Amino acid sequence: MRWTAALLCALLGAAAPLHGQDRRLEGRLDSETRRAVLALVDSARTAGLPTEPLIQKALEGESKGADGARIVGAVHALLGRLHAARAALGRTASDAELVAGAAAIHVGVAPDRLERLRNASSGAPLALALVALADLVQRGVPPDTAATAIETLALARAGDAEYRTLRLLVEQDIRTGAAPAAAALERARGITGGRLPVVPPERPPGSEPSGGGGGR
């Protein structure tokens, strides 16, 4: 999540598209790996997806000593998550929202929960909400429960401060022995002062989401 937060800050603070990013790969990747990564970067650019996360993922892999196949595989997987994030969040989603959405998908949040969060937000910016969602899951909150807690704040028209507060309070509760799921739901309830939506049952790993979609 440190990588995600740092990249998100860079995207939020960027005043213009980054230039010369391809040159950063020279001398870091062998020619075959570099060509494969640049092909994926070009694919993202053509699709209107952010390219900086792909460059950073390749550089991260090289700095950790990964071989070319693993680097290309990681970049390809990230590109797939960016596509999935945009399908869930809509074509008007910002680069920062797409990066944070891809991070949430990576830690196990189903894309349909991102779509529900988008609908709950009524057009409000979601980047910090999605960062908070991924952070909760990494702290042990089950993905659907974490999504419900974040959705609760979105329905209450919470701002960035409330999402930061939720992350800090849940982290504090977990450190003092609280169950992650209970901490997330109770803190979301406390911050909003409202009722929580019904929590859908957790799906077993690898199972397909049900097609009914009968939730409120």
Side-chain angles (χ1 to χ4, degrees), residues 194-211:
R195 278 179 66 238
L196 288 167
V198 175
V199 182
E202 291 289 318
R203 292 188 294 271
S207 65
E208 293 295 325
S210 60

Side-chain angles (χ1 to χ4, degrees), residues 131-189:
V131 169
L133 172 56
D135 185 69
L136 291 178
V137 175
Q138 287 204 318
R139 297 188 186 283
V141 181
D144 279 340
T145 304
T148 295
I150 296 297
E151 187 180 324
T152 299
L153 268 65
L155 288 168
R157 303 297 182 264
D160 290 351
E162 284 77 18
Y163 291 115
R164 292 190 185 98
T165 297
L166 178 65
R167 292 172 65 191
L168 291 172
L169 292 176
V170 171
E171 178 185 8
Q172 171 186 302
D173 290 347
I174 292 172
R175 282 204 310 262
T176 58
L185 295 179
E186 288 302 320
R187 289 301 189 177
R189 181 183 292 115

Side-chain angles (χ1 to χ4, degrees), residues 109-125:
V109 178
D112 69 293
R113 294 311 304 259
L114 300 191
E115 185 174 359
R116 281 180 52 171
L117 179 56
R118 179 194 71 185
N119 294 336
S121 73
S122 299

